[in-house]
Amino acid sequence: MEKELFPVYFNKPVECTNEPYEGVPSELTIDNPADYIQPWSGFEPECTLEDKNDCKRLPIQTSNIKIEDIYADIEVKSNHWIEMAGDLARESVAEGGGPFGAVIVQIDDETNEVIRYWKNHNQVTAINDPTAHAEVVTIRNACHSLGVFDLSCIKKEESKLPQQGATSHCEIYSSTEPCPMCYSAISWAKMPRLFFAATRFDAAQQGVSFSDEEIYSELKKSYANRKMKVFQCSTPNSLDAFNLWKRSNKIHY
């Protein structure tokens, strides 16, 4: 029943053999920013909007928007994993989905070889689930396949899938800077590295219009000053579960 309800969550991982993991791509060094031209695929999709004039008002973007030094000291070059995530995002749009893709790579800690990887894209409209972002779907898929909820240290004896070394870990590649929900999901999965390509400012551009700035702004405010009305309830049993948790044998996560 589970797989019938949510088939998009349970696509099979792609197994790899003796593929070394390159790790973090080399740092992007720009000697003269004024002369720097960002690499671009050259992809110029045909305009299929009813009003062709709309495409004239929505020009092709060839470089990422980076402001406020948010990305200082984290800029690196590309690799095939992040390009795979970008291809997934493009495929998603072609299939009627949102323009986002993600890849999770499992690396053996002893050999530093890629064991397998999971790939998926945004499934919000496909299954009517507003939380089915590319990163969330791919995390669910990887955790379900492995039988774990911590992707930072997967022990051989606990994993549902084989691995050579005693431990392995996962890293995630996202086509676009993750939204606050997806960033939190990546954090809860404890993955040590996140790589993304397009920025949240690229996602907010006219015609794309996936802006998370309202959420970022809201999180900086006190609850009383947020757009959503939020209330903290003084309930007699509010701490019962916590008190039971801290005095019980448990699986820590």
Side-chain angles (χ1 to χ4, degrees):
M1 178 63 70
E2 188 178 49
K3 292 189 178 182
E4 291 177 0
L5 289 173
F6 301 111
V8 295
Y9 289 166
F10 302 106
N11 55 349
K12 292 182 179 180
V14 179
E15 301 292 332
C16 298
T17 304
N18 301 322
E19 179 179 346
Y21 184 60
E22 314 95 324
V24 179
S26 57
E27 182 181 354
L28 178 65
T29 55
I30 303 173
D31 297 327
N32 189 347
D35 296 332
Y36 175 71
I37 299 178
Q38 180 177 318
W40 174 52
S41 69
F43 176 60
E44 296 189 55
E46 177 186 358
C47 179
T48 57
L49 298 177
E50 289 186 12
D51 186 347
K52 303 302 179 184
N53 287 321
D54 284 345
C55 283
K56 295 179 181 179
R57 293 187 285 268
L58 300 170
I60 297 294
Q61 187 175 327
T62 63
S63 61
N64 300 126
I65 300 172
K66 305 175 186 180
I67 64 175
E68 301 174 355
D69 294 326
I70 292 175
Y71 311 102
D73 302 321
I74 68 165
E75 295 170 291
V76 296
K77 295 181 180 179
S78 184
N79 65 17
H80 74 283
W81 299 113
I82 194 66
E83 290 174 12
M84 184 185 296
D87 288 341
L88 286 164
R90 178 173 160 181
E91 292 169 12
S92 181
V93 176
E95 295 174 7
F100 307 98
V103 180
I104 290 179
V105 184
Q106 184 183 6
I107 305 105
D108 190 278
D109 291 333
E110 288 185 16
T111 64
N112 197 45
E113 291 180 349
V114 177
I115 303 171
R116 60 183 61 88
Y117 64 90
W118 294 261
K119 59 180 182 177
N120 219 313
H121 55 74
N122 184 280
Q123 301 286 353
V124 170
T125 58
I127 59 175
N128 297 317
D129 181 354
T131 70
H133 290 198
E135 296 89 343
V136 170
V137 171
T138 313
I139 289 170
R140 288 171 177 170
N141 197 171
C143 288
H144 178 80
S145 297
L146 293 166
V148 302
F149 48 75
D150 183 341
L151 296 177
S152 69
C153 184
I154 303 151
K155 297 179 180 179
K156 187 174 184 176
E157 66 272 16
E158 297 177 355
S159 176
K160 289 166 58 177
L161 297 177
Q163 62 186 52
Q164 181 176 338
T167 61
S168 65
H169 72 280
C170 290
E171 299 183 4
I172 187 166
Y173 290 81
S174 177
S175 64
T176 303
E177 182 176 355
C179 71
M181 177 186 72
C182 292
Y183 186 90
S184 298
I186 294 166
S187 177
W188 275 110
K190 296 182 170 62
M191 280 182 279
R193 286 176 180 162
L194 157 67
F195 303 84
F196 64 83
T199 70
R200 67 178 188 250
F201 304 105
D202 297 326
Q205 285 300 288
Q206 181 174 299
V208 183
S209 304
F210 286 97
S211 177
D212 298 318
E213 287 308 305
E214 181 177 354
I215 300 176
Y216 284 107
S217 177
E218 285 284 282
L219 292 175
K220 294 177 183 178
K221 300 176 184 176
S222 65
Y223 278 115
N225 295 319
R226 294 184 186 180
K227 182 178 179 180
M228 179 189 296
K229 297 304 179 184
V230 182
F231 304 91
Q232 190 273 322
C233 303
S234 294
T235 306
N237 64 345
S238 66
L239 299 173
D240 289 0
F242 289 162
N243 288 328
L244 178 60
W245 170 267
K246 63 186 177 183
R247 294 189 175 197
S248 303
N249 290 322
K250 62 188 74 70
I251 299 174
H252 289 279
Y253 64 94

PDB file of all heavy atoms in Angstrom, residues 139 149-153 169-170 184-193 252-253:
ATOM      1  N   ILE A 139      15.362  12.804   0.265  1.00  0.00           N
ATOM      2  CA  ILE A 139      15.748  12.386   1.621  1.00  0.00           C
ATOM      3  C   ILE A 139      14.868  11.228   2.086  1.00  0.00           C
ATOM      4  O   ILE A 139      15.359  10.235   2.624  1.00  0.00           O
ATOM      5  CB  ILE A 139      15.651  13.567   2.611  1.00  0.00           C
ATOM      6  CG1 ILE A 139      16.766  14.582   2.340  1.00  0.00           C
ATOM      7  CG2 ILE A 139      15.730  13.079   4.059  1.00  0.00           C
ATOM      8  CD1 ILE A 139      16.611  15.882   3.105  1.00  0.00           C
ATOM      9  N   PHE A 149      17.493   7.015   9.711  1.00  0.00           N
ATOM     10  CA  PHE A 149      17.040   8.402   9.691  1.00  0.00           C
ATOM     11  C   PHE A 149      18.208   9.370   9.839  1.00  0.00           C
ATOM     12  O   PHE A 149      18.028  10.582   9.807  1.00  0.00           O
ATOM     13  CB  PHE A 149      15.999   8.675  10.794  1.00  0.00           C
ATOM     14  CG  PHE A 149      16.380   8.161  12.156  1.00  0.00           C
ATOM     15  CD1 PHE A 149      17.330   8.808  12.918  1.00  0.00           C
ATOM     16  CD2 PHE A 149      15.786   7.027  12.670  1.00  0.00           C
ATOM     17  CE1 PHE A 149      17.686   8.339  14.178  1.00  0.00           C
ATOM     18  CE2 PHE A 149      16.122   6.540  13.924  1.00  0.00           C
ATOM     19  CZ  PHE A 149      17.077   7.201  14.686  1.00  0.00           C
ATOM     20  N   ASP A 150      19.404   8.845  10.008  1.00  0.00           N
ATOM     21  CA  ASP A 150      20.617   9.649  10.128  1.00  0.00           C
ATOM     22  C   ASP A 150      21.512   9.324   8.932  1.00  0.00           C
ATOM     23  O   ASP A 150      22.043   8.217   8.830  1.00  0.00           O
ATOM     24  CB  ASP A 150      21.326   9.325  11.445  1.00  0.00           C
ATOM     25  CG  ASP A 150      22.571  10.172  11.678  1.00  0.00           C
ATOM     26  OD1 ASP A 150      23.102  10.755  10.707  1.00  0.00           O
ATOM     27  OD2 ASP A 150      23.030  10.231  12.833  1.00  0.00           O
ATOM     28  N   LEU A 151      21.677  10.281   8.032  1.00  0.00           N
ATOM     29  CA  LEU A 151      22.463  10.050   6.824  1.00  0.00           C
ATOM     30  C   LEU A 151      23.914  10.497   6.965  1.00  0.00           C
ATOM     31  O   LEU A 151      24.660  10.501   5.995  1.00  0.00           O
ATOM     32  CB  LEU A 151      21.818  10.760   5.628  1.00  0.00           C
ATOM     33  CG  LEU A 151      20.429  10.243   5.235  1.00  0.00           C
ATOM     34  CD1 LEU A 151      19.853  11.068   4.096  1.00  0.00           C
ATOM     35  CD2 LEU A 151      20.478   8.766   4.866  1.00  0.00           C
ATOM     36  N   SER A 152      24.314  10.840   8.181  1.00  0.00           N
ATOM     37  CA  SER A 152      25.695  11.267   8.406  1.00  0.00           C
ATOM     38  C   SER A 152      26.618  10.104   8.729  1.00  0.00           C
ATOM     39  O   SER A 152      27.826  10.176   8.519  1.00  0.00           O
ATOM     40  CB  SER A 152      25.775  12.291   9.538  1.00  0.00           C
ATOM     41  OG  SER A 152      25.481  11.676  10.792  1.00  0.00           O
ATOM     42  N   CYS A 153      26.059   9.023   9.279  1.00  0.00           N
ATOM     43  CA  CYS A 153      26.859   7.858   9.652  1.00  0.00           C
ATOM     44  C   CYS A 153      25.992   6.609   9.544  1.00  0.00           C
ATOM     45  O   CYS A 153      25.242   6.288  10.465  1.00  0.00           O
ATOM     46  CB  CYS A 153      27.409   8.014  11.069  1.00  0.00           C
ATOM     47  SG  CYS A 153      28.500   6.657  11.565  1.00  0.00           S
ATOM     48  N   HIS A 169      28.396   7.686   4.535  1.00  0.00           N
ATOM     49  CA  HIS A 169      27.596   8.882   4.774  1.00  0.00           C
ATOM     50  C   HIS A 169      27.033   9.384   3.452  1.00  0.00           C
ATOM     51  O   HIS A 169      27.466   8.944   2.379  1.00  0.00           O
ATOM     52  CB  HIS A 169      28.421   9.979   5.453  1.00  0.00           C
ATOM     53  CG  HIS A 169      29.434  10.620   4.554  1.00  0.00           C
ATOM     54  ND1 HIS A 169      30.662  10.031   4.264  1.00  0.00           N
ATOM     55  CD2 HIS A 169      29.400  11.784   3.842  1.00  0.00           C
ATOM     56  CE1 HIS A 169      31.341  10.812   3.453  1.00  0.00           C
ATOM     57  NE2 HIS A 169      30.590  11.884   3.166  1.00  0.00           N
ATOM     58  N   CYS A 170      26.091  10.308   3.531  1.00  0.00           N
ATOM     59  CA  CYS A 170      25.470  10.868   2.337  1.00  0.00           C
ATOM     60  C   CYS A 170      25.682  12.378   2.257  1.00  0.00           C
ATOM     61  O   CYS A 170      25.773  13.060   3.283  1.00  0.00           O
ATOM     62  CB  CYS A 170      23.969  10.584   2.334  1.00  0.00           C
ATOM     63  SG  CYS A 170      23.528   8.864   2.081  1.00  0.00           S
ATOM     64  N   SER A 184      16.066  22.691   6.587  1.00  0.00           N
ATOM     65  CA  SER A 184      15.829  22.055   7.885  1.00  0.00           C
ATOM     66  C   SER A 184      15.814  20.538   7.754  1.00  0.00           C
ATOM     67  O   SER A 184      16.355  19.823   8.606  1.00  0.00           O
ATOM     68  CB  SER A 184      14.498  22.534   8.474  1.00  0.00           C
ATOM     69  OG  SER A 184      14.524  23.933   8.712  1.00  0.00           O
ATOM     70  N   ALA A 185      15.208  20.035   6.680  1.00  0.00           N
ATOM     71  CA  ALA A 185      15.165  18.584   6.465  1.00  0.00           C
ATOM     72  C   ALA A 185      16.572  18.022   6.277  1.00  0.00           C
ATOM     73  O   ALA A 185      16.907  16.959   6.801  1.00  0.00           O
ATOM     74  CB  ALA A 185      14.305  18.262   5.239  1.00  0.00           C
ATOM     75  N   ILE A 186      17.406  18.744   5.530  1.00  0.00           N
ATOM     76  CA  ILE A 186      18.793  18.324   5.326  1.00  0.00           C
ATOM     77  C   ILE A 186      19.534  18.323   6.658  1.00  0.00           C
ATOM     78  O   ILE A 186      20.311  17.416   6.963  1.00  0.00           O
ATOM     79  CB  ILE A 186      19.487  19.250   4.314  1.00  0.00           C
ATOM     80  CG1 ILE A 186      18.853  19.090   2.928  1.00  0.00           C
ATOM     81  CG2 ILE A 186      20.985  18.967   4.237  1.00  0.00           C
ATOM     82  CD1 ILE A 186      19.228  20.174   1.947  1.00  0.00           C
ATOM     83  N   SER A 187      19.257  19.328   7.468  1.00  0.00           N
ATOM     84  CA  SER A 187      19.883  19.418   8.786  1.00  0.00           C
ATOM     85  C   SER A 187      19.429  18.275   9.692  1.00  0.00           C
ATOM     86  O   SER A 187      20.248  17.656  10.387  1.00  0.00           O
ATOM     87  CB  SER A 187      19.529  20.763   9.437  1.00  0.00           C
ATOM     88  OG  SER A 187      20.067  20.866  10.740  1.00  0.00           O
ATOM     89  N   TRP A 188      18.134  17.958   9.677  1.00  0.00           N
ATOM     90  CA  TRP A 188      17.618  16.863  10.499  1.00  0.00           C
ATOM     91  C   TRP A 188      18.179  15.518  10.039  1.00  0.00           C
ATOM     92  O   TRP A 188      18.374  14.605  10.858  1.00  0.00           O
ATOM     93  CB  TRP A 188      16.087  16.828  10.453  1.00  0.00           C
ATOM     94  CG  TRP A 188      15.444  17.751  11.445  1.00  0.00           C
ATOM     95  CD1 TRP A 188      14.764  18.900  11.184  1.00  0.00           C
ATOM     96  CD2 TRP A 188      15.428  17.613  12.871  1.00  0.00           C
ATOM     97  NE1 TRP A 188      14.326  19.483  12.350  1.00  0.00           N
ATOM     98  CE2 TRP A 188      14.729  18.707  13.400  1.00  0.00           C
ATOM     99  CE3 TRP A 188      15.952  16.659  13.751  1.00  0.00           C
ATOM    100  CZ2 TRP A 188      14.523  18.887  14.772  1.00  0.00           C
ATOM    101  CZ3 TRP A 188      15.745  16.839  15.113  1.00  0.00           C
ATOM    102  CH2 TRP A 188      15.035  17.938  15.604  1.00  0.00           C
ATOM    103  N   ALA A 189      18.445  15.388   8.736  1.00  0.00           N
ATOM    104  CA  ALA A 189      19.048  14.151   8.221  1.00  0.00           C
ATOM    105  C   ALA A 189      20.539  14.101   8.518  1.00  0.00           C
ATOM    106  O   ALA A 189      21.188  13.083   8.265  1.00  0.00           O
ATOM    107  CB  ALA A 189      18.809  14.034   6.712  1.00  0.00           C
ATOM    108  N   LYS A 190      21.077  15.227   9.030  1.00  0.00           N
ATOM    109  CA  LYS A 190      22.459  15.330   9.489  1.00  0.00           C
ATOM    110  C   LYS A 190      23.497  15.140   8.370  1.00  0.00           C
ATOM    111  O   LYS A 190      24.633  14.722   8.642  1.00  0.00           O
ATOM    112  CB  LYS A 190      22.732  14.345  10.639  1.00  0.00           C
ATOM    113  CG  LYS A 190      21.924  14.636  11.896  1.00  0.00           C
ATOM    114  CD  LYS A 190      22.262  13.655  13.015  1.00  0.00           C
ATOM    115  CE  LYS A 190      21.641  14.074  14.337  1.00  0.00           C
ATOM    116  NZ  LYS A 190      20.174  14.119  14.304  1.00  0.00           N
ATOM    117  N   MET A 191      23.113  15.437   7.154  1.00  0.00           N
ATOM    118  CA  MET A 191      24.104  15.339   6.079  1.00  0.00           C
ATOM    119  C   MET A 191      25.160  16.425   6.244  1.00  0.00           C
ATOM    120  O   MET A 191      24.821  17.597   6.472  1.00  0.00           O
ATOM    121  CB  MET A 191      23.420  15.430   4.713  1.00  0.00           C
ATOM    122  CG  MET A 191      22.806  14.122   4.287  1.00  0.00           C
ATOM    123  SD  MET A 191      22.046  14.150   2.653  1.00  0.00           S
ATOM    124  CE  MET A 191      20.465  14.905   3.044  1.00  0.00           C
ATOM    125  N   PRO A 192      26.435  16.073   6.166  1.00  0.00           N
ATOM    126  CA  PRO A 192      27.498  17.018   6.461  1.00  0.00           C
ATOM    127  C   PRO A 192      27.757  18.052   5.377  1.00  0.00           C
ATOM    128  O   PRO A 192      28.361  19.084   5.650  1.00  0.00           O
ATOM    129  CB  PRO A 192      28.726  16.117   6.654  1.00  0.00           C
ATOM    130  CG  PRO A 192      28.436  14.934   5.780  1.00  0.00           C
ATOM    131  CD  PRO A 192      26.960  14.717   5.895  1.00  0.00           C
ATOM    132  N   ARG A 193      27.322  17.797   4.151  1.00  0.00           N
ATOM    133  CA  ARG A 193      27.591  18.738   3.063  1.00  0.00           C
ATOM    134  C   ARG A 193      26.366  18.929   2.176  1.00  0.00           C
ATOM    135  O   ARG A 193      25.686  17.974   1.817  1.00  0.00           O
ATOM    136  CB  ARG A 193      28.755  18.257   2.190  1.00  0.00           C
ATOM    137  CG  ARG A 193      30.119  18.400   2.834  1.00  0.00           C
ATOM    138  CD  ARG A 193      31.180  17.816   1.934  1.00  0.00           C
ATOM    139  NE  ARG A 193      32.513  17.934   2.493  1.00  0.00           N
ATOM    140  CZ  ARG A 193      33.553  17.218   2.096  1.00  0.00           C
ATOM    141  NH1 ARG A 193      33.408  16.336   1.113  1.00  0.00           N
ATOM    142  NH2 ARG A 193      34.729  17.373   2.656  1.00  0.00           N
ATOM    143  N   HIS A 252      17.831   7.603  20.151  1.00  0.00           N
ATOM    144  CA  HIS A 252      18.180   9.016  19.982  1.00  0.00           C
ATOM    145  C   HIS A 252      18.303   9.366  18.512  1.00  0.00           C
ATOM    146  O   HIS A 252      18.767   8.568  17.705  1.00  0.00           O
ATOM    147  CB  HIS A 252      19.494   9.311  20.703  1.00  0.00           C
ATOM    148  CG  HIS A 252      19.377   9.304  22.194  1.00  0.00           C
ATOM    149  ND1 HIS A 252      18.897  10.376  22.900  1.00  0.00           N
ATOM    150  CD2 HIS A 252      19.661   8.337  23.103  1.00  0.00           C
ATOM    151  CE1 HIS A 252      18.904  10.080  24.205  1.00  0.00           C
ATOM    152  NE2 HIS A 252      19.349   8.847  24.352  1.00  0.00           N
ATOM    153  N   TYR A 253      17.871  10.559  18.174  1.00  0.00           N
ATOM    154  CA  TYR A 253      18.032  11.049  16.803  1.00  0.00           C
ATOM    155  C   TYR A 253      18.227  12.552  16.810  1.00  0.00           C
ATOM    156  O   TYR A 253      18.101  13.185  17.830  1.00  0.00           O
ATOM    157  CB  TYR A 253      16.832  10.663  15.918  1.00  0.00           C
ATOM    158  CG  TYR A 253      15.521  11.272  16.318  1.00  0.00           C
ATOM    159  CD1 TYR A 253      15.082  12.460  15.730  1.00  0.00           C
ATOM    160  CD2 TYR A 253      14.703  10.673  17.282  1.00  0.00           C
ATOM    161  CE1 TYR A 253      13.862  13.021  16.071  1.00  0.00           C
ATOM    162  CE2 TYR A 253      13.479  11.228  17.626  1.00  0.00           C
ATOM    163  CZ  TYR A 253      13.073  12.392  17.018  1.00  0.00           C
ATOM    164  OH  TYR A 253      11.850  12.955  17.364  1.00  0.00           O
TER     165      TYR A 253
END
